Amino acid sequence: MCLDCGKVLHGRADKKFCDDQCRNNYNNQLNSSSYNLVRNINNILRRNRRILEELNPSGKTKTTRKKLAAKGLDFEYHTHTYQTQNGKTYHFCYEYGYLPLEGDEVLLVKREEKSE
């Protein structure tokens, strides 16, 4: 019997699905809840990166936290952090990052890849 639709199978003794559509449907349903979580987080990270890129065309600029929030930046999600020797913490979304400053100000930066 096909694991997805329940039809009787013909052919190999170890066959589990009647066709590729049933195989894909079965595996998609099996993994859908974990895929949805990962997909939603990846969408947030991509949106955050796009916002940081849009507001920082020169590679280093200042803006406000209010402006970032108005564009839709989700401050809870970032790919990594970088702590400087003097204790400042940059939050990065891939190569674009920000450093919270005094008050509402935020420094936007772009991390350049070092070529070897």
Side-chain angles (χ1 to χ4, degrees):
M1 302 292 268
C2 176
L3 294 178
D4 185 52
C5 69
K7 290 181 183 174
V8 177
L9 297 175
H10 301 286
R12 292 178 24 187
D14 62 345
K15 192 171 181 180
K16 295 180 182 181
F17 305 101
C18 52
D19 57 21
D20 287 339
Q21 183 178 352
C22 280
R23 180 180 48 82
N24 288 332
N25 189 47
Y26 178 84
N27 287 316
N28 287 340
Q29 286 180 355
L30 190 66
N31 298 316
S32 66
S33 61
S34 63
Y35 284 156
N36 283 339
L37 175 66
V38 172
R39 183 175 43 248
N40 291 340
I41 292 172
N42 283 336
N43 287 338
I44 293 169
L45 290 172
R46 279 196 302 272
R47 183 178 63 236
N48 282 353
R49 182 193 175 278
R50 190 172 52 249
I51 292 166
L52 293 172
E53 179 184 29
E54 176 187 324
L55 293 175
N56 187 13
S58 64
K60 190 172 187 179
T61 190
K62 283 187 182 178
T63 189
T64 63
R65 187 174 174 91
K66 187 175 180 179
K67 193 172 192 177
L68 289 170
K71 289 277 191 180
L73 188 86
D74 190 333
F75 292 95
E76 297 293 315
Y77 290 91
H78 52 274
T79 55
H80 61 287
T81 57
Y82 174 74
Q83 183 120 17
T84 63
Q85 290 179 350
N86 58 3
K88 295 180 180 179
T89 303
Y90 287 81
H91 302 277
F92 279 88
C93 206
Y94 303 103
E95 77 275 28
Y96 289 95
Y98 64 92
L99 172 67
L101 300 172
E102 302 269 326
D104 192 39
E105 278 198 317
V106 178
L107 175 67
L108 301 180
V109 296
K110 181 179 180 186
R111 188 176 208 150
E112 297 296 329
E113 290 297 319
K114 297 175 182 160
S115 58
E116 295 181 37

